[in-house]
Amino acid sequence: MLSVADVLRMPAVRSADPEVLAGADLLDQPVRWVHTTELADIGPLLRGGDLVLTTGIALPDHTEGLARFASSLAESGAAGLLVELGRRWSALPQELVAHCEERGLPLVALRREVRFAAVAQAVGERLIADQLAELRAAERVHDTFTELSIGEAGPAEILAAAQRLSGSAVVLEDEQHRIVDYLVGPADDGFVEDWERRSRTVRTTGRTGWDPSTGWLVTRVGRPERGWGRLVIAAPAGASAGLTAVAERAAAALAMHRLHDRTRDGQTRRVHHELLAALLADPTDEETRRRVEIAGLPAGRQLVGVALRPPRPAQLDDLVAACLRAAEVTHAPLLASVFESEVRGLVALPPRADAVRFVDRWAREVAGRVPAVVAAGTPATGLASADRTLQEASQVLAALPALPTADAVGGVRRLEDVHVRGLLTLLADDPRVAAFVDRELSALRAEPELFRTLRALVEHPGSKAAAAAALHVSRPVLYDRIAKIERLLSVSLDDAEVRTSLHVALLAEEV
């Protein structure tokens, strides 16, 4: 916005030798138009941001009248008062100066004669030019994000456009204040450091708000009841109307992208779920085979069952979308759907492809969008074995830790990776396994301290020092506990078969 200070720097005004007499700290007030007048009662006719030019010929010559005049201008929201000296006053009355200072109204004396028409023209042209520039910028923002929305652009393209138009760092975060994606410039080093903690302190009202403590312009992505995150743009100097428009249009484009994904994938996901359920029930059914081929899994391909688990159940739908996008990138037809707390899929690979490398690549593409624990079954050569590879993947997943660790994200676990834990997972519901666990461990259940000691011993089989360190006890204390365990169980922990039996019992109880 054009300010009073900007007007005073214009050549037409500088030539009048302006002197600021009051409101010097308020020269940043915006100027919306210029009014030339000699009326003392002009106040009620003004709008906020109007700048008043006058020679003062018709202004009152007493203190009360000057006070009323200054008050009426201030109450109307006038941006300031410029008075040309020479026609009425050679110096402005101190009463007028004092009243303007008291009411927070910038008062400027023009000590040389000036053509008011030239000042009004210069200010008007500048305001119109600024408004045209603002309209062009708004049109550019509108056109940019409209094209992105029509083209179903992804978040990366939308964020790139927001950064380009704002010239600032841009961050997309989820509802847990975790960064989903971001773009920063060379001048924004450290902008995303300690993000989650800082972001949790930023609270805004309404759809969009500017937080002065962080200099962040924050806008919600999606409707309040279904919002899944926020878009943040660095705005240390404050949020202009143009920057706010960029933030809100970018957020709308992100929400539209999510809607496109859901609308496009809704029917696909329903069909995928029906087909996977049918394959698990009877993979030899001819109608199921025909529908699977129609759905995009051609005959003659290798088929690999996959099972995935995200960090939080709320991410299951996002994980299915990530699987479908990864299939597009790797050119591997896929069926994928949510089954209870996991996502199951069937990936179709070329007959001669290296199944391990191909599925590993596919999993990395998925992890680039949603971190997840990923398990895969042994490749099947046809639909008749699809249920086996699907079930194997699900069984491997059940034997893996619940949350994805840093080394697990993007990596695929298979049957050979879970060893005896995988076998115990397969037998988890067998009452004979439950009886074995109870027989081996029942004597220790009332002694949690000894139970933890036994677990440390089997997890550190080659070093009692490591077991003691894991328990945060001294070695003499560890030896005393070992003796108690041996008395309770009537066994020797030096016996390799006993240690193996206890270790298997602990694993079985865990799975």
Side-chain angles (χ1 to χ4, degrees):
M1 292 294 295
L2 183 69
S3 67
V4 176
D6 293 331
V7 172
L8 297 182
R9 286 191 290 267
M10 288 181 172
V13 179
R14 282 207 316 272
S15 66
D17 191 17
E19 179 185 9
V20 179
L21 301 177
D25 58 339
L26 299 170
L27 299 182
D28 59 347
Q29 293 192 123
V31 174
R32 301 184 184 278
W33 202 248
V34 176
H35 279 285
T36 300
T37 185
E38 300 298 342
L39 299 177
D41 57 354
I42 188 65
L45 304 179
L46 299 176
R47 300 172 305 169
D50 285 346
L51 186 65
V52 177
L53 299 178
T54 184
T55 63
I57 290 176
L59 294 185
D61 56 3
H62 50 84
T63 301
E64 293 79 4
L66 292 175
R68 284 195 301 272
F69 178 64
S71 296
S72 68
L73 294 185
E75 289 169 1
S76 72
L81 174 63
L82 275 61
V83 182
E84 182 188 76
L85 302 181
R87 297 180 184 274
R88 169 70 185 278
W89 294 300
S90 58
L92 293 184
Q94 286 303 311
E95 295 87 347
L96 180 60
V97 174
H99 288 307
C100 287
E101 186 70 45
E102 179 183 346
R103 298 305 302 269
L105 178 69
L107 175 63
V108 180
L110 304 178
R111 293 177 288 188
R112 293 179 186 167
E113 184 176 328
V114 64
R115 293 175 58 198
F116 283 2
V119 174
Q121 180 180 354
V123 174
E125 289 176 349
R126 171 67 181 275
L127 288 171
I128 291 172
D130 288 350
Q131 289 170 0
L132 284 174
E134 188 175 331
L135 287 172
R136 291 192 186 101
E139 183 179 18
R140 185 167 64 254
V141 170
H142 171 79
D143 291 346
T144 297
F145 288 110
T146 297
E147 289 178 9
L148 290 172
S149 296
I150 292 173
E152 298 185 19
E157 297 172 87
I158 295 170
L159 291 185
Q163 186 203 44
R164 184 175 67 253
L165 292 169
S166 66
S168 301
V170 180
V171 175
L172 176 63
E173 65 173 20
D174 64 16
E175 72 278 6
Q176 301 299 321
H177 303 281
R178 287 188 288 263
I179 293 178
V180 176
D181 199 358
Y182 69 94
L183 290 172
V184 297
D188 299 307
D189 290 342
F191 183 71
V192 297
E193 288 182 5
D194 195 20
W195 182 268
E196 287 186 36
R197 182 193 62 78
R198 294 164 61 208
S199 180
R200 292 179 192 281
T201 66
V202 177
R203 296 286 185 271
T204 57
T205 57
R207 179 186 177 190
T208 305
W210 180 71
D211 179 63
S213 64
T214 57
W216 291 2
L217 176 62
V218 181
T219 188
R220 185 181 63 249
V221 179
R223 299 202 314 245
E225 66 274 16
R226 299 180 67 179
W228 56 271
R230 301 191 300 181
L231 181 67
V232 180
I233 297 180
S240 65
L243 190 60
T244 300
V246 170
E248 293 187 344
R249 287 306 308 271
L254 288 166
M256 185 63 71
H257 167 76
R258 190 173 177 85
L259 179 61
H260 282 158
D261 263 6
R262 288 181 173 178
T263 302
R264 181 176 56 244
D265 292 343
Q267 177 69 10
T268 301
R269 293 186 187 188
R270 184 184 65 79
V271 171
H272 283 199
H273 187 88
E274 292 176 356
L275 292 177
L276 287 171
L279 287 172
L280 286 166
D282 182 7
T284 62
D285 181 75
E286 286 300 322
E287 177 63 17
T288 299
R289 293 167 64 90
R290 187 181 68 82
R291 292 184 62 202
V292 167
E293 290 187 14
I294 292 174
L297 268 68
R301 293 287 189 107
Q302 296 184 78
L303 300 174
V304 178
V306 291
L308 307 93
R309 184 170 56 236
R312 302 190 316 279
Q315 293 178 295
L316 284 167
D317 282 345
D318 291 336
L319 186 53
V320 173
C323 291
L324 295 173
R325 297 292 87 75
E328 293 177 4
V329 172
T330 58
H331 306 290
L334 167 78
L335 300 178
S337 185
V338 175
F339 285 79
E340 297 181 353
S341 60
E342 67 188 52
V343 172
R344 295 185 189 178
L346 189 64
V347 186
L349 311 180
R352 299 180 183 275
D354 184 328
V356 171
R357 293 180 61 185
F358 206 110
V359 174
D360 284 353
R361 180 190 168 209
W362 174 85
R364 285 193 297 272
E365 290 290 340
V366 173
R369 300 169 184 271
V370 179
V373 178
V374 184
T378 303
T381 56
L383 278 179
S385 304
D387 58 334
R388 175 186 55 76
T389 187
L390 285 166
Q391 289 169 356
E392 185 179 301
S394 185
Q395 290 158 358
V396 172
L397 182 67
L400 296 173
L403 296 177
T405 57
D407 61 335
V409 172
V412 180
R413 300 298 181 266
R414 296 174 173 84
L415 197 58
E416 60 267 25
D417 298 318
V418 293
H419 307 291
V420 70
R421 185 187 292 270
L423 173 63
L424 293 172
T425 301
L426 293 175
L427 302 174
D429 296 328
D430 192 315
R432 290 170 294 183
V433 174
F436 166 75
V437 172
D438 190 59
R439 182 172 65 250
E440 293 291 311
L441 303 177
S442 60
L444 293 180
R445 295 198 188 280
E447 301 286 346
E449 188 176 79
L450 298 182
F451 203 93
R452 288 194 299 272
T453 300
L454 178 61
R455 186 179 295 280
L457 286 169
V458 299
E459 289 176 353
H460 303 85
S463 173
K464 289 186 172 62
L471 292 166
H472 306 291
V473 299
S474 65
R475 292 186 67 176
V477 170
L478 177 67
Y479 289 136
D480 180 63
R481 291 184 183 179
I482 291 173
K484 290 179 180 178
I485 292 172
E486 291 178 331
R487 285 196 301 271
L488 275 172
L489 299 181
S490 300
V491 298
S492 171
L493 294 182
D494 291 330
D495 187 316
E497 186 173 334
V498 168
R499 289 199 307 272
T500 299
S501 182
L502 291 171
H503 197 175
V504 169
L506 287 169
L507 286 174
E509 179 160 281
E510 184 178 321
V511 301

